[in-house]
Amino acid sequence: MTKVKLKNTLRLMVRQYGFEQVDRSLREIRLADRQPKSSKQSKVLSDNKAMTNPQKKRTKVNAPEYVAKMELSEEKESIAVELANRFENKAFLPTFGDIRNFCQIYGIDEPASKSRASAIPRVFKFIATMETDEIQTILDDGMFSGPSQLGPISDAIRRNGRAARTYTPPPPSAR
C-alpha cells in the first residue's frame, strides 16, 4: 500500500471511528503481534469479524425522500411530493396531535412513536392509496395544516392587553 493510500484509509477510519478508537486499535494490533501465534490468530479473526460488519448509523428519511422512492402515477406523485414538502416545512401535519387527528379521521393506526418522522411511512403510504382528487383537496384547502394564521389573533390579544393596562375606571361619583 502506498503512503498516500494508507493515509487516506487511516483518515477515513479516523473520521468514522474517531482518533482515540483508531489509536487504541493500532496499539492492540501492535500488542497482538507480540503475542504467541495461537492467541494472535483468534484475536485477528475476531477483529476481522468486527470490521466486516460495522454497525451502520441509521439515517432519518424525510418525507420528500420517502415519497420519491414510492411508485406513484405522475399526477399523484407531483401532489404527494408537494404534501411531503409541506410536511417537512410543518405546513402539513405540523404537530404530532395533527398526525393523530389525521389517523383518527382516516382510520389509520396511530404510530407508536410520538415523533413526526416516525409517522412519515404510515401517513404517506395511506396518501398513496387515496384518489388523486382527494389528495388535491387536502392540498388546495390546506387541510391538516394546523392553526391558520395566528398573527392576527396575537395582534388582537396584544391590543386588548394594552387597552386593559391603560384603562382607568371612572370615579365612584360617575357610577
Side-chain angles (χ1 to χ4, degrees):
M1 191 181 276
T2 66
K3 282 186 178 184
V4 172
K5 193 173 181 182
L6 175 63
K7 283 183 180 181
N8 288 337
T9 303
L10 283 172
R11 188 172 287 117
L12 288 172
M13 287 181 180
V14 168
R15 284 184 185 146
Q16 184 174 3
Y17 298 103
F19 183 81
E20 290 80 20
Q21 181 66 35
V22 172
D23 186 48
R24 189 177 316 123
S25 295
L26 287 172
R27 278 188 261 126
E28 289 173 4
I29 291 170
R30 182 183 299 147
L31 289 174
D33 285 343
R34 294 179 186 163
Q35 291 177 354
K37 194 127 182 136
S38 62
S39 64
K40 189 191 305 182
Q41 284 178 335
S42 64
K43 177 75 173 158
V44 168
L45 286 175
S46 67
D47 287 348
N48 285 342
K49 190 174 185 180
M51 288 297 288
T52 57
N53 198 10
Q55 289 185 353
K56 291 183 178 180
K57 287 184 179 178
R58 195 165 178 202
T59 58
K60 233 193 289 185
V61 176
N62 64 27
E65 290 172 350
Y66 187 84
V67 170
K69 292 178 184 177
M70 297 174 77
E71 291 184 24
L72 301 169
S73 68
E74 236 178 86
E75 186 181 7
K76 193 180 278 190
E77 183 178 9
S78 65
I79 299 168
V81 165
E82 177 60 30
L83 267 183
N85 288 328
R86 289 185 184 187
F87 184 89
E88 280 305 305
N89 297 328
K90 295 187 177 183
F92 172 64
L93 301 174
T95 66
F96 191 78
D98 294 316
I99 293 169
R100 185 183 303 116
N101 184 38
F102 179 87
C103 291
Q104 289 171 351
I105 288 172
Y106 288 106
I108 306 168
D109 290 335
E110 190 177 310
S113 174
K114 303 293 182 205
S115 73
R116 290 181 75 248
S118 69
I120 291 171
R122 192 163 299 202
V123 167
F124 286 96
K125 279 180 187 175
F126 178 76
I127 287 172
T129 66
M130 294 173 76
E131 295 295 322
T132 306
D133 58 331
E134 286 180 282
I135 303 169
Q136 188 66 50
T137 302
I138 290 173
L139 195 60
D140 292 342
D141 294 349
M143 296 169 64
F144 306 104
S145 60
S148 58
Q149 303 190 358
L150 295 177
I153 295 170
S154 65
D155 290 342
I157 292 169
R158 194 174 300 115
R159 278 192 309 274
N160 229 3
R162 283 186 194 130
R165 283 190 300 267
T166 59
Y167 174 75
T168 54
S173 61
R175 287 186 196 173

